[in-house]
Amino acid sequence: MRTLRRTWRLPSARISLGVLALVALLAVAGGALAPHDPLAQHPVDMLHGPSAAHPLGTDYLGRDVLSRLLAGTGSSIVGALEAVGAAMLLGIVPGIASVWLGRTVEWTAQRAADTLMIMPFTVFAIAVVGALGNGMHQAMLALGVLFAPLYFRVTRAAALGLKQAQYVEAAELMGASRWWILRTHVWGKILPTVAVTTAQAVGQALLVVASLTFLGLGVQPPAPTWGGMLASDLGYLAQQPWAPLIPGAAIMVTVGALNILADAVRDSGTAAGDPRVTAPVPAVGTAATGPASAAPAVVDPGPVAPDSVAPGPVTVPDQVAEKEGELTESVASSPGRAPRTTNGHSEEAEQRVTTG
């Protein structure tokens, strides 16, 4: 919760969340907000520019571009979220299990992650679609499998650092179960890292989904998607050179907002976990407000080199008193010398003068 509060205080995070909220609204209700039927063809109105009836113009089949852009938001966003959800399931669970379930599971999971990392996205997606059929779910499953090593490595790195923490070792020594330790001590610390990775992964998945639909994989025409609109507009650049900018701008704004949000969450998590980031301390010579104003402000000067400190006189009262007592006893007990008083005369001389 501290990380979320720090993130909300950042202006960039609020702006990106506003943009993403608008995109989410269009993804849910984009089809209902479309002014025209996104699939209705009007050959008479082919490749027309912006007008009152069609604010963003029409495409090569006379379909309204604005309606297709709004209706295609849901398919593009849902596809990216489906791919990221599959990647989280296939990456987070093996990443934590590789730390807590022994070397056999660790070696197997690492080799599987290394194998998936070297496979290209497009080739693997084409192979999966060719084997399972050309559909949205098949393409997103292939994309989620290829995104899983990202979550695996991030989760494993965070879990390795937490396993060596003293409070985790203390919980293990006290007999706590692994599930209780993971739920209480580990998952809460890994969650900010997973949130940052998710924000970045959704942006990457959105680009890959657009690329796959650009190639004709996943959502089939005439269903509108951002990538499909971009692919169809590239064939008519001579008539409408500005047409690809519309779906390209939608992709760019959404991915940019996700990246900005990821940076804000990462910075907030770093600030929340940094022990050096504390409340401001009043400077020396300034008055503090509140109940603690009576206490003087102390400013830590930081580490000082030993050579830069001049050695001062060190007095130990108890030791000095002990040494003086020993010296007095040794003088008093030494043969041939009479004890002296404060005036420098011996006690024996004073007795002679007194008895006179």
Side-chain angles (χ1 to χ4, degrees):
M1 295 301 294
R2 183 189 304 176
T3 302
L4 295 178
R5 289 194 297 267
R6 289 179 179 270
T7 303
W8 179 251
R9 295 192 187 105
L10 298 176
S12 60
R14 291 196 293 267
I15 294 174
S16 61
L17 286 174
V19 173
L20 294 177
L22 178 60
V23 173
L25 176 62
L26 296 179
V28 174
L33 297 176
H36 301 280
D37 186 2
L39 302 180
Q41 301 180 7
H42 303 281
V44 180
D45 298 330
M46 292 190 305
L47 300 176
H48 282 187
S51 61
H54 306 285
L56 297 180
T58 58
D59 62 359
Y60 66 100
L61 293 177
R63 297 171 296 191
D64 184 61
V65 175
L66 178 60
S67 300
R68 291 181 61 80
L69 185 70
L70 296 176
T73 304
S75 301
S76 302
I77 299 300
V78 169
L81 293 178
E82 184 178 355
V84 172
M88 293 177 64
L89 182 61
L90 298 175
I92 293 177
V93 176
I96 298 178
S98 64
V99 178
W100 298 90
L101 296 184
R103 294 193 175 274
T104 303
V105 177
E106 178 183 4
W107 185 89
T108 305
Q110 286 184 336
R111 299 294 79 77
D114 294 340
T115 303
L116 292 175
M117 287 185 65
I118 63 175
M119 300 184 67
F121 285 95
T122 306
V123 176
F124 184 77
I126 292 174
V128 172
V129 168
L132 301 179
N134 190 4
M136 185 67 175
H137 300 293
Q138 293 85 338
M140 295 306 103
L141 177 61
L143 186 59
V145 170
L146 294 181
F147 270 109
L150 175 64
Y151 281 95
F152 173 81
R153 291 187 174 275
V154 169
T155 307
R156 174 177 166 77
L160 280 175
L162 293 173
K163 186 179 181 181
Q164 301 174 357
Q166 294 182 354
Y167 55 87
V168 174
E169 294 179 352
E172 291 179 346
L173 293 176
M174 294 178 65
S177 62
R178 290 178 178 176
W179 172 249
W180 187 88
I181 293 174
L182 293 175
R183 181 170 49 87
T184 306
H185 295 301
V186 177
W187 177 245
K189 305 298 187 302
I190 295 177
L191 188 59
T193 305
V194 173
V196 175
T197 307
T198 301
Q200 295 177 344
V202 170
Q204 297 177 5
L206 186 59
L207 292 175
V208 177
V209 168
S211 301
L212 294 177
T213 53
F214 180 85
L215 297 175
L217 301 177
V219 180
Q220 294 298 310
T225 58
W226 290 350
M229 293 177 61
L230 185 62
S232 62
D233 291 335
L234 290 178
Y236 300 91
L237 290 178
Q239 292 80 11
Q240 291 181 336
W242 46 266
L245 297 178
I246 298 174
I251 297 173
M252 181 184 66
V253 170
T254 306
V255 174
L258 288 169
N259 290 333
I260 293 174
L261 180 61
D263 294 339
V265 173
R266 183 182 64 246
D267 296 340
S268 301
T270 303
D274 192 351
R276 295 175 297 179
V277 181
T278 56
V281 180
V284 176
T286 59
T289 58
S293 59
V298 179
V299 178
D300 187 8
V304 181
D307 296 339
S308 63
V309 181
V314 180
T315 57
V316 183
D318 297 337
Q319 296 180 0
V320 172
E322 183 179 356
K323 293 296 183 182
E324 289 181 354
E326 293 177 0
L327 180 61
T328 304
E329 292 177 1
S330 62
V331 172
S333 61
S334 60
R337 298 184 62 182
R340 295 187 179 274
T341 61
T342 57
N343 295 326
H345 302 286
S346 63
E347 295 179 357
E348 183 178 356
E350 291 181 357
Q351 292 177 359
R352 289 179 182 177
V353 174
T354 303
T355 57

